[in-house]
Amino acid sequence: MWLGVPSQDKMEIRSCLPKLLLAHHKTLPYFIRNKLCKVIVDIGRQDWPMFYHDFFTNILQLIQSPVTTPLGLIMLKTTSEELACPREDLSVARKEELRKLLLDQVQTVLGLLTGILESIWDKHSVTSATPPPSPSSGENGGDLLSSLLQSPSAAKLLNQPIPILDTESEYICSLALECLAHLFSWIPLSASITPSLLTTIFHFARFGCDTRARKMSSVNGSSQNSVLGQERGRLGILAMSCINELMSKNCVPMEFEEYLLRMFQQTFYLLQKITKENNAHTVKSRLEELDESYIEKFTDFLRLFVSVHLRRIESYSQFPVVEFLALLFKYTFHQPTHEGYFSCLDIWTLFLDYLTSKIKSRLADKEAVLNRYEDALVLLLTEVLNRIQFRYNQAQLEELDDETLDDDQQTEWQRYLRQSLEVVAKVMELLPTHAFSTLFPVLQDNLEVYLGLQQFVVTSGTGQRLNITAENDCRRLHCSLRDLSSLLQAVGRLAEYFIGDVFAARFNDALTVVERLVKVTLYGSQIKLYNIETAVPSVLKPDLIDVHAQSLAALQAYSHWLAQFYSEVHRQNPEQIISLVSTALEAIIPLISSKVQEKLLLSACHLLVSLATTVRPVFLIRIPAVQKVFNRITDTSAQRLPDKAQVLVCRALSNVLLLPWPNLPENEQQWAVRSTNHASLISALTREYRHLKSSAILPQRKVRLEDTKVIIHQTLSVLEDIVESISGESTKSRQICYQSLQESVQVSLALFPAFIHQSDVTDEMLSFFLTLFQGLRVQMGVPFTEQIIQTFLNMFTREQLAESILHEGSTGCRVVEKFLKILQVVVQEPGQVFKPFLPSIISLCMEQVYPIIAERSSPDVKAELFELLFRVLHHNWRYFFKSSVLASVQRGIAEEQMENEAQFSAIMQAFGQSFLQPDIHLFKQNLFYLETLNTKQKLYHKKIFRTTMLFQFVNVLLQVLVHKSHDLLQEEIGIAIYNMASVDFDSFYSAFLTEFLASCDGVDSNQKNVLGRNFKMDRDLPSFTQNVHRLVNDLRYYRLCNDSLPPGTVKL
């Protein structure tokens, strides 16, 4: 390291390296030249200005001398990178000094860079030589430019043809723009960034929208020219990077706002240029000719403009926002790639969010704001709807992949549709009437095609067949069905805008939609389109199934509207709602069969659940179709539905009987009858399961065991779902549910010990018990709950836990995690009922589970264990700290009595150990738990913590910062250290800090004194955390210096 080099050698190196660079920079390979620049800058980083006073002046001289300008620019960029954002091999004081030194030079540097770019532009500019542009090119035509720029001279400047640069000038400009981009990333917005510099950057941004350069290279065909074309495009990209660096700064000084306005005006001139149509170009072909990176940078600019600056700029009367939206519209809908289009939709989403929040904050101006933007929004809506339809956009939509799932578990096509529908929904929120009148007629057109298919259905020997065979007709039908499916999703997405306060105002529109949807679902189920043979089964059959499934899903989206409709009319004239619900059920019931494709079956089941749960009409149970489903589900001879469907149908039937009917008093709820019916439903569903109890004691044969596992899985998945779905409902519903389940719960507890070594079964049983504890604790009653907990505590011995965690892989760990989750529910229960279990729960955690997982690097089980320990402390504080009113009144004995001290200390020790492990999620969770206990219970102030643990924790957290092992949590750790130190600042500064520094190895006593002196005795959070980070940085810096000194060096 430089520090250990003798000063004579340093002087020699400082003087010879720059000379070497100067003499050979033209002949050296570029990577060696760059390395040499980096070494010189690194020396400057240590020695400038004290020992290397001409470091920066040398760079400025290199830039000013034409022969060495490129070299000077490389040095300048390296200096900006290495000195403005230095790594940690510098002390904080030196970092601050360097930044100040650089800021003093900013004005000079920016002036130099402006000069270089301007002189190259002017030198190659061809204003005098070129004739004015021909009218056909439309560059000067009556465009937005004069309104945007408010000054003819600026408009004229930007209309100059782009100069043709030689290779050397291209290179110098690209280096200068790279320097600017890096400088802009750290210098504050200020007057140093002059209007002339901004205008120059914009001149270079035009290189990106100049398609001539590319044309020239392709016409002339020579490789030299094509490289030139790419270089020119690159200048445009670099200039846009500079602009975006400035744009991303949210904090704009008042005096800089005018510059910003000028920047936007100039960028929108560019936007207008690249979206201009003329005889030779469509917008799309023009965008396709531009460099993809340039388009990306431009889109980034537009996003920054809308998200950061629109609210600032919109108030300027001279900024034409509506015209800007017109340009953005053109730019969006002519994007050459799908990704580009997605990015532009994001910008529209930001704009719509901005409008929505603006209207909410200024309701009085709502009409004025909407009128200003109405045309733009309606255009946007129409175009986005066209883009999702094969009728208008087949070529592009067919390119989208609809098979491969991305990280969000959706295909490219689903993502495209979802993002488009979000924009449609946001426009609907702002302009409901317009949006509806745009969307509904389009849906109608496609529905006519679908509903007209009936006339083409013919009966053949094998069943029904769709008599459409011509290839062209099949293709048109395929497109129409795909569009119908998308539009049904759109209509479903808009359901939320018909309910609540606007229910009455938009009632007729919603009723029209719901009636259509009910009609369509019934039609699909009656003519069984999902079973029909078609000419192209691989395409049309999935289309028909999808439309049917989407129509059911769209109707399900309106279940909240149906519920509101039902509650408004149920007393007066419920005929209309009865008819809608009954017809919907007629559409659903034929689909509840194991012969129907799963996609369609599940859509039907979900709709049934919504009718039973959200709408809950009193007449539901009397509808013959519903009784038919009851009979089918409870008939053991009928073929069982696939698991997911079975669970959903059972949930729906259970909810029909359990959930209170809306708007009816308690005495009209008919609980007695419903209770009896629910008991017989559950009894039928659990018949086989309850018979297992008698056979569970016998040793099981392999075949029997597998059958038994299937019965357990099928029954528990249904019961768990039923309990979960009513856990938030009224006490009466939960009571009836538990009465019906009581026998099955007792059977489960009896079976549990028999299956303790089958972790897959134990996993399902514990899931069921966890759901019971979360939803029906009160109904189960204390004695039985105690029996369950005791059974579990007895079964989970140290050996059993070790077997589960160490030998059974993820299933075994899941079993233990669920068991700990059940205990979390138990220890949170208020009152004294479960307090007797606390000692055995704590001893299970600390003596049985913790020793097994403490040394394992795997995070399994740890998160759940520490959450349980946190809940033990948080909800049972009095178990450890007996606080009496008397004690708090008599301030003299303010210290609380401590009980169960050993257990408390063991828990805290475990928390401390967890901070020494690499798992960052566990670290973050446990730090949060300690901070919560301090906020709520004053943990850090308790005598036992203050006297025996406080500074151990501070020490551990400081060491973590020094080792940089959990750097993502720097801020949280800093705040925690402050909260702990603030309990006793005097001891922290007088004793702890000295001891901490004394125990630090790798630094000498003089350095320790400096570290101690630099830690100011501040007591406010921002200054304190700053001091902590300074201490950590400088301690690492000193260690780095000491490690790199040659052995035997005398340190002064």
Side-chain angles (χ1 to χ4, degrees), residues 924-958:
K924 184 177 183 178
Q925 170 192 296
N926 286 358
L927 194 60
F928 170 74
Y929 288 157
L930 286 186
E931 291 281 86
T932 308
L933 288 170
N934 185 49
T935 314
K936 296 276 185 358
Q937 323 279 9
K938 292 272 181 278
L939 167 68
Y940 306 157
H941 297 259
K942 298 296 172 206
K943 186 180 180 185
I944 180 171
F945 192 91
R946 209 174 57 235
T947 52
T948 62
M949 306 173 195
L950 183 70
F951 289 125
Q952 286 180 357
F953 272 100
V954 177
N955 189 16
V956 166
L957 293 176
L958 273 174

Side-chain angles (χ1 to χ4, degrees), residues 3-6 1004 1041-1052:
L3 212 68
V5 179
D1004 61 32
C1041 295
N1042 297 343
D1043 288 348
S1044 61
L1045 290 175
T1049 307
V1050 177
K1051 285 182 262 183
L1052 300 170

Side-chain angles (χ1 to χ4, degrees), residues 70-316:
L71 184 61
L73 292 171
I74 291 167
M75 289 286 288
L76 177 63
K77 183 176 175 229
T78 314
T79 303
S80 176
E81 288 167 349
E82 297 295 328
L83 274 64
C85 326
R87 292 184 304 281
E88 59 178 36
D89 54 350
L90 292 178
S91 67
V92 170
R94 176 63 178 155
K95 287 178 180 177
E96 288 167 356
E97 181 190 16
L98 280 177
R99 178 163 279 238
K100 195 170 171 307
L101 287 166
L102 281 178
L103 280 171
D104 292 343
Q105 302 289 341
V106 161
Q107 200 156 355
T108 318
V109 168
L110 292 180
L112 271 181
L113 293 172
T114 311
I116 290 172
L117 291 168
E118 276 181 352
S119 64
I120 291 181
W121 181 278
D122 294 341
K123 182 177 153 195
H124 294 80
S125 210
V126 276
T127 29
S128 50
T130 49
S134 62
S136 69
S137 70
E139 287 280 353
N140 274 342
D143 55 22
L144 282 173
L145 194 50
S146 17
S147 71
L148 275 172
L149 291 186
Q150 299 274 303
S151 92
S153 62
K156 192 171 164 206
L157 257 176
L158 278 172
N159 266 331
Q160 291 174 5
I162 291 180
I164 310 285
L165 305 184
D166 56 76
T167 317
E168 177 72 2
S169 305
E170 294 259 2
Y171 180 51
I172 289 174
C173 291
S174 68
L175 287 172
L177 289 167
E178 280 175 11
C179 283
L180 281 171
H182 197 273
L183 289 166
F184 288 164
S185 70
W186 62 269
I187 63 176
L189 295 177
S190 69
S192 312
I193 303 170
T194 60
S196 63
L197 172 57
L198 291 177
T199 306
T200 307
I201 294 172
F202 276 99
H203 279 322
F204 281 93
R206 286 172 59 202
F207 276 109
C209 18
D210 187 33
T211 51
R212 280 180 317 159
R214 295 186 148 223
K215 284 254 184 53
M216 197 174 69
S217 59
S218 56
V219 171
N220 299 348
S222 75
S223 60
Q224 162 118 36
N225 269 325
S226 94
V227 170
L228 196 72
Q230 284 166 355
E231 270 302 315
R232 298 185 61 158
R234 187 162 172 270
L235 287 180
I237 295 165
L238 290 171
M240 282 309 294
S241 296
C242 294
I243 293 166
N244 286 350
E245 280 294 351
L246 294 174
M247 290 291 301
S248 58
K249 296 178 192 291
N250 201 349
C251 177
V252 181
M254 279 298 288
E255 66 275 15
F256 200 78
E257 286 206 354
E258 199 180 325
Y259 291 4
L260 264 183
L261 182 62
R262 189 174 290 139
M263 279 173 65
F264 299 139
Q265 291 168 333
Q266 292 176 323
T267 318
F268 297 134
Y269 162 70
L270 296 179
L271 178 58
Q272 191 196 9
K273 196 169 156 53
I274 57 183
T275 54
K276 184 177 284 301
E277 289 176 84
N278 56 27
N279 309 342
H281 279 85
T282 63
V283 180
K284 189 159 187 183
S285 68
R286 185 186 285 269
L287 286 174
E288 274 166 353
E289 284 172 9
L290 299 182
D291 188 304
E292 221 171 289
S293 308
Y294 185 74
I295 295 278
E296 267 175 41
K297 293 279 179 203
F298 212 96
T299 307
D300 286 345
F301 167 83
L302 295 170
R303 182 186 295 106
L304 288 167
F305 171 70
V306 172
S307 59
V308 181
H309 301 286
L310 183 63
R311 58 189 163 72
R312 196 176 273 128
I313 292 297
E314 198 196 11
S315 52
Y316 281 86

Side-chain angles (χ1 to χ4, degrees), residues 300-350:
D300 286 345
F301 167 83
L302 295 170
R303 182 186 295 106
L304 288 167
F305 171 70
V306 172
S307 59
V308 181
H309 301 286
L310 183 63
R311 58 189 163 72
R312 196 176 273 128
I313 292 297
E314 198 196 11
S315 52
Y316 281 86
S317 55
Q318 68 265 46
F319 188 81
V321 180
V322 177
E323 286 85 342
F324 157 63
L325 291 178
L327 293 179
L328 177 60
F329 181 83
K330 260 184 170 175
Y331 181 77
T332 302
F333 293 106
H334 291 101
Q335 281 295 313
T337 65
H338 291 306
E339 281 306 319
Y341 178 63
F342 284 149
S343 302
C344 290
L345 280 188
D346 282 344
I347 297 173
W348 282 104
T349 307
L350 288 168

Side-chain angles (χ1 to χ4, degrees), residues 474-521:
C474 287
R475 188 175 289 123
R476 279 173 47 215
L477 178 59
H478 165 64
C479 291
S480 175
L481 291 171
R482 286 291 298 263
D483 288 350
L484 178 55
S485 171
S486 304
L487 292 162
L488 284 166
Q489 288 179 62
V491 165
R493 177 65 187 81
L494 302 184
E496 63 181 280
Y497 302 113
F498 292 106
I499 53 175
D501 302 342
V502 295
F503 177 80
R506 298 187 198 153
F507 176 79
N508 290 333
D509 284 348
L511 184 62
T512 315
V513 173
V514 173
E515 284 176 342
R516 291 302 279 167
L517 291 174
V518 168
K519 179 182 175 183
V520 172
T521 48

Side-chain angles (χ1 to χ4, degrees), residues 793 798 801 837-851 869 872 879 903 907:
L793 288 171
R798 177 92 187 243
L801 287 164
F837 283 111
L838 273 178
S840 45
I841 289 176
I842 296 172
S843 94
L844 172 99
C845 291
M846 299 314 301
E847 292 159 29
Q848 296 179 16
V849 182
Y850 182 67
L869 292 174
V872 164
Y879 176 75
Q903 289 184 321
I907 293 174

